[in-house]
Amino acid sequence: MDTRRPFRTLALVLGTAGLLVSGCSGGDSSGATSSADAGSASPSAVPAALKSYYAQHISWRDCGASGFQCATMKAPLDYAKPDGGEIELAVSRKKATGPGKRIGSLLVNPGGPGGSAIGYLQGYAGIGYPAQVRARYDMVAIDPRGVARSEPVTCLTGPQMDAYTQVDQTPDDDAEATKLSDAFEKFASGCEKRSGEVLPHVSTVETARDMDMLRALLGDERLNYVGASYGTFLGATYAGLFPGRTGRLVLDGAMDPSLSSVEMNRAQTAGFETAFQSFAKDCVKQTECPLGSTSASDAADRLKKLFADLDADPVPTGESRELGESLATTGVIAAMYDESAWPQLREALAGAESGDGAGLLALADSYYEREPSGKYTNLMFANAAVNCLDLPPAFTGPEAVEKALPSFEKASPVFGRGFAWAALNCAHWPVPATGTAHRIEAKGAAPIVVVGTTRDPATPYAWAESLAGQLSSGTLLTYQGDGHTAYGRGSDCVDTAINTYLLEGTPPASGKKCR
């Protein structure tokens, strides 16, 4: 069983990731800050209790990846009690290559919560971002607290995760609903047992404060940043906390911080339905579509039947794990993030229909970041830890899910039931949520570019419209297409607009549309 993770980015193809939601929020709802937080990087703008952290020295070293340096920085475990212990955070950078005058540092975050920003930097952004951007910025990443190299949250062993991901996520009776709820409870207790000290301190607000500290240690007066998917919420949270320190922010595949967890999960359900309809319309035009050749509606019915068949009778995969409905659903969802995965999905579906589940299992494993050895990265653990802290749970028990099922199934006849039950994952969380749904205005911030893709499955286009409208200096850039996020995905129009903004500070005209 997965906690559903629609915040995946281009990093899916490159070895890092994004995730889903049980809510992501926190921070200042108005965008205002205290006088201690407003303004520039001057020492007087830093609260006295944090001055030693803002004055620490970062010692850079080679870290095995050609051209990259690594370091660690310390931050308070609890910003409310700066003297109550520390957390060590991993940082990496690749210095500006030239030619041209260096602009400053450009922080990147691939989404999640739970995606390794350092993995994304070293695997893609630091070598794959446009050359003119890398020429004039030091490319920088910090793994958020609780993620990857920064004191990662851990919850379950590999074999335990294998069992967890196979729990029936569309229970047919009370016994199966209880089993699913128990699986969520076991996951939560595992997090508390293995990561209890850090678990209350991995919120998005705390990570945004860590980013401000890094900004100062890098010597930048303002934060320049590209965040994808969940990374847009992190960037918007930063702007709300520190509008006077906000530089050039690109928020690609935007989230809407004003939504409750239930609203967010239901909207994502509809987003994946939109993406599936796009896939299905393409599939039925192909010579050999495993979901038929008539219509998208027929394809949806065929897929629902396949899921039902796998629920009743899982198929072999060539290894000890069989492919049941839960893993099959996750495999299909994984391919919705990028239309380049559609051919692979067609082949995997054909295999499952003929009794071979290996293809869909491989897609599901990529989604969960399961290695061939059976070990998982901490992506899913950090995802739940941050999400369950950022917003109150969508549902507190199976009865609440049952009441919400009709609205979720209306949003997606194919995925609605599974998404509704997945939103139960924070019901047993051992740490109370510290965030609430809220608007972010970031009054006084420099222009911020918000990017939305019209058929984005994970972060629906309406979210980008909403965030751009909330931000006092937000401007909306629209990509009319498929997939999750838009920068670097093949649209010259999108890339040119963002590159111009990053290099010259000039945002695109609000409402600009690209293909």
Side-chain angles (χ1 to χ4, degrees):
M1 177 59 213
D2 60 275
T3 49
R4 201 58 68 214
R5 172 184 98 175
F7 303 145
R8 188 180 282 278
T9 71
L10 179 63
L12 166 67
V13 183
L14 302 163
T16 65
L19 283 186
L20 168 86
V21 40
S22 30
C24 306
S25 188
D28 178 7
S29 60
S30 68
T33 63
S34 68
S35 59
D37 287 334
S40 69
S42 64
S44 62
V46 177
L50 298 178
K51 284 187 177 180
S52 63
Y53 287 103
Y54 274 78
Q56 67 184 292
H57 174 69
I58 291 185
S59 179
W60 294 100
R61 64 185 185 280
D62 291 336
C63 52
S66 178
F68 292 90
Q69 297 175 307
C70 291
T72 56
M73 59 174 268
K74 295 184 183 298
L77 178 63
D78 184 351
Y79 274 93
K81 300 176 182 177
D83 298 327
E86 297 178 335
I87 187 169
E88 195 167 84
L89 306 174
V91 183
S92 183
R93 74 175 178 186
K94 186 176 185 182
K95 301 190 77 172
T97 59
K101 183 180 179 181
R102 177 183 174 276
I103 296 173
S105 303
L106 181 65
L107 267 68
V108 295
N109 184 283
S116 170
I118 292 178
Y120 178 72
L121 174 74
Q122 296 180 358
Y124 173 62
I127 56 177
Y129 266 32
Q132 62 268 40
V133 173
R134 292 183 285 116
R136 300 187 60 196
Y137 281 101
D138 291 346
M139 302 293 295
V140 180
I142 176 172
D143 273 352
R145 49 178 61 208
V147 174
R149 299 163 176 84
S150 293
E151 301 197 19
V153 170
T154 57
C155 301
L156 301 177
T157 65
Q160 287 173 331
M161 271 297 290
D162 280 347
Y164 178 76
T165 61
Q166 295 178 75
V167 175
D168 190 346
Q169 60 190 4
T170 56
D172 299 315
D173 52 39
D174 289 345
E176 289 188 351
T178 298
K179 184 177 181 180
L180 177 60
S181 182
D182 288 347
F184 286 136
E185 186 171 12
K186 182 177 180 180
F187 184 100
S189 63
C191 299
E192 183 179 31
K193 178 182 178 181
R194 294 173 173 86
S195 302
E197 183 179 8
V198 72
L199 216 56
H201 304 295
V202 294
S203 71
T204 298
V205 167
E206 289 162 308
T207 294
R209 291 187 178 279
D210 296 338
M211 291 202 310
D212 188 63
M213 190 182 301
L214 177 59
R215 171 203 57 76
L217 297 177
L218 293 169
D220 292 330
E221 183 175 348
R222 293 173 179 263
L223 179 80
N224 301 308
Y225 174 84
V226 177
S229 198
Y230 160 80
T232 67
F233 175 62
L234 178 57
T237 297
Y238 181 92
L241 290 169
F242 307 105
R245 303 177 191 173
T246 298
R248 301 171 188 178
L249 263 61
V250 177
L251 308 180
D252 183 14
M255 288 180 57
D256 181 354
S258 71
L259 297 178
S260 70
S261 186
V262 172
E263 292 170 328
M264 193 173 293
N265 277 276
R266 189 160 44 221
Q268 289 176 336
T269 302
F272 274 88
E273 179 67 23
T274 297
F276 173 74
Q277 289 295 320
S278 189
F279 162 76
K281 290 175 183 177
D282 176 78
C283 185
V284 297
K285 296 176 183 177
Q286 306 299 321
T287 304
E288 295 183 2
C289 174
L291 300 180
S293 60
T294 55
S295 67
S297 176
D298 181 56
D301 290 340
R302 290 275 296 267
L303 182 60
K304 288 172 65 178
K305 183 180 185 303
L306 175 62
F307 287 160
D309 290 345
L310 292 171
D311 186 31
D313 188 17
V315 298
T317 63
E319 58 169 273
S320 59
R321 292 175 298 155
E322 291 184 317
L323 181 80
E325 180 186 14
S326 292
L327 285 171
T329 302
T330 302
V332 173
I333 285 170
M336 294 296 101
Y337 285 87
D338 191 333
E339 64 271 28
S340 68
W342 290 358
Q344 182 183 357
L345 177 58
R346 292 196 301 269
E347 184 177 346
L349 288 171
E353 285 197 333
S354 63
D356 179 4
L360 283 177
L361 180 65
L363 282 167
D365 283 351
S366 72
Y367 182 88
Y368 286 123
E369 292 197 354
R370 183 189 190 273
E371 299 171 1
S373 65
K375 181 181 178 180
Y376 291 75
T377 71
N378 93 306
L379 179 63
M380 297 306 297
F381 309 142
N383 174 245
V386 177
N387 282 334
C388 294
L389 200 58
D390 274 352
L391 274 185
F395 303 119
T396 56
E399 298 81 5
V401 179
E402 291 283 0
K403 290 180 180 179
L405 278 176
S407 66
F408 275 77
E409 291 180 312
K410 181 179 180 181
S412 174
V414 177
F415 303 115
R417 188 173 182 84
F419 268 77
W421 282 104
L424 185 63
N425 70 310
C426 291
H428 302 287
W429 203 250
V431 182
T434 57
T436 58
H438 63 281
R439 290 173 56 85
I440 297 179
E441 298 178 9
K443 293 178 180 178
I448 298 172
V449 176
V450 179
V451 188
T453 298
T454 54
R455 293 186 295 277
D456 190 318
T459 52
Y461 178 66
W463 292 3
E465 293 180 301
S466 179
L467 181 59
Q470 292 173 43
L471 292 167
S472 62
S473 60
T475 183
L476 178 63
L477 174 63
T478 298
Y479 173 55
Q480 297 173 312
D482 295 293
H484 183 39
T485 73
Y487 186 42
R489 286 174 47 84
S491 168
D492 290 338
C493 175
V494 169
D495 292 353
T496 298
I498 293 176
N499 293 342
T500 299
Y501 170 67
L502 290 175
L503 296 172
E504 301 176 12
T506 304
S510 190
K512 181 178 177 63
K513 292 179 171 59
C514 294
R515 292 187 180 275

